[in-house]
Amino acid sequence: MDSIGLPARYMDEKGRIDVARIKAETSIARVAAEATDLKKSGDELKGLCPFHPEDTASFFVNEGKQVFHCHGCEAGGDVIELHRRLHHVDFRQACLDLVGTATIVPPKLENPVIIAMRRAESVRRARQIWQEATPIGWSLSETYLTNRGIGHAVPGSIRHSHVARWWDADGREGRREPAMIAALQDREGRLAGIQRTFLDQEGRKSTRGTPRLSLGRVRGCAVRFSPVAETVMLAASVEDGLAVRLMFPGASVWAAVGDGNLPHVRFPAEVKSVIVCGDADAPGRAAAAAAIAAYAAAGLAAEDLVPRAGKDFNEEWLLLHA
């Protein structure tokens, strides 16, 4: 992949375009806002789709996940794909264009008081969804986990429900879809948020938009598959955490629900050491290194555990037990 014309900081050690850095340093909300008016909708932003005519907004931007999706024309992808489609340029030119705006931060859509109120409402809604969710037995969530080889003795921090992807400020919600619900607990063990993994009618990850969406607080929280212990094994995803739990019976295993939160989980005082179980690919290795450094700086003993086969621990579990 040719990176001629890019500043050195956007090139990796092999001289290729550092796509991960460009995406991490570019606001997808800013890029989308140049093409359509955006309004808050739950934890996302929505507006009229710039790629097809419509009267009702079906275009959604998730700044946290750095992705966009239109439920009308099914366009979707990351910030590079968004810029490429908006300006009819190729991938390399899109990267070159985005470097010029890489340091621009998302526009402030609300004042801090309103933002705080909406965050509190997001936590409240997450807790309500969790209370209404049911155990996964005989559900599409059980099918999903069973197909991934990790459906055995699933802990109570995983439930099933039919939930919406988004809500308007007036309370109107989108279509409800089947989803696996994972409980995110804060340092004190309080439910502070959830992760929704949307599923199709066959128990597979939904292809209608982003399959994973969080609600409530994520940063600093984790899905706990086991009680607090002196040593916690921290995986990047729910699926990886469930696989690690099967690989190491009796261990205390938690999941950070994403590389972005892997270095930021806040542990109770009883936890003295963390084994970081990140993915084996380049982004996973970078996230694991950041997590180890962060926990060591916080006074915790921290070490790395890398999948021996496959990209992640769920894939390793499947490969070793197929």
Side-chain angles (χ1 to χ4, degrees):
M1 188 183 297
D2 183 13
S3 58
I4 295 174
L6 283 170
R9 68 190 302 265
Y10 295 107
M11 298 165 60
D12 64 19
E13 66 279 1
K14 295 183 179 179
R16 299 172 302 188
I17 297 174
D18 191 341
V19 173
R21 179 182 286 274
I22 292 176
K23 291 195 291 186
E25 296 186 0
T26 307
S27 166
I28 194 170
R30 174 75 185 199
V31 173
E34 295 174 356
T36 186
D37 291 330
L38 297 173
K39 297 180 180 178
K40 280 288 280 185
S41 179
D43 285 349
E44 298 185 292
L45 304 170
K46 77 170 184 175
L48 295 175
C49 181
F51 303 121
H52 81 281
E54 64 177 2
D55 297 320
T56 301
S58 62
F59 177 80
F60 286 79
V61 175
N62 189 310
E63 182 73 19
K65 300 282 188 179
Q66 283 288 300
V67 295
F68 75 95
H69 182 78
C70 175
H71 294 281
C73 68
E74 297 299 328
D78 59 22
V79 67
I80 298 174
E81 174 65 10
L82 176 59
H83 182 91
R84 190 191 68 75
R85 293 189 60 148
L86 287 174
H87 298 279
H88 306 287
V89 296
D90 61 19
F91 178 86
R92 177 179 175 278
Q93 186 60 50
C95 291
L96 288 167
D97 293 344
L98 289 172
V99 165
T101 59
T103 58
I104 296 176
V105 297
K108 287 188 177 180
L109 302 173
E110 309 279 4
N111 67 50
V113 174
I114 294 177
I115 290 174
M117 291 174 61
R118 289 200 168 160
R119 284 177 178 165
E121 170 61 17
S122 180
V123 172
R124 184 203 67 77
R125 193 182 296 275
R127 288 172 174 165
Q128 179 182 347
I129 289 173
W130 178 252
Q131 290 171 359
E132 294 173 352
T134 59
I136 71 165
W138 303 101
S139 71
L140 289 172
S141 292
E142 183 179 55
T143 301
Y144 170 69
L145 294 178
T146 299
N147 288 340
R148 298 190 68 133
I150 48 177
H152 176 68
V154 177
S157 51
I158 303 295
R159 293 181 181 178
H160 179 78
S161 191
H162 283 69
V163 295
R165 291 176 180 267
W166 55 269
W167 296 265
D168 280 337
D170 62 5
R172 186 176 68 90
E173 65 177 37
R175 187 181 74 176
R176 293 196 170 208
E177 302 175 44
M180 181 178 73
I181 311 295
L184 283 156
Q185 293 176 261
D186 63 15
R187 183 179 186 180
E188 288 72 37
R190 298 169 299 198
L191 186 114
I194 58 172
Q195 183 187 66
R196 297 160 288 166
T197 301
F198 290 97
L199 307 170
D200 65 17
Q201 294 303 319
E202 302 298 323
R204 297 168 299 204
K205 255 192 232 175
S206 174
T207 57
R208 293 187 68 258
T210 306
R212 289 194 182 100
L213 290 174
S214 299
L215 186 66
R217 281 179 49 205
V218 175
R219 190 179 177 92
C221 302
V223 180
R224 301 183 183 185
F225 303 129
S226 318
V228 176
E230 186 171 304
T231 298
V232 168
M233 302 183 75
L234 181 65
S237 72
V238 166
E239 293 84 353
D240 287 343
L242 291 172
V244 171
R245 183 171 174 266
L246 293 174
M247 292 176 184
F248 299 91
S252 182
V253 182
W254 299 5
V257 298
D259 284 350
N261 192 43
L262 199 61
H264 301 295
V265 174
R266 297 186 65 217
F267 293 98
E270 296 92 329
V271 177
K272 305 301 180 185
S273 64
V274 181
I275 301 173
V276 179
C277 308
D279 290 353
D281 58 10
R285 292 295 82 220
I292 290 169
Y295 298 134
L300 296 170
E303 59 182 286
D304 194 13
L305 183 65
V306 187
R308 297 167 295 168
K311 182 183 76 69
D312 55 42
F313 284 96
N314 188 189
E315 187 172 321
E316 177 181 333
W317 176 257
L318 286 171
L319 289 171
L320 296 178
H321 295 83

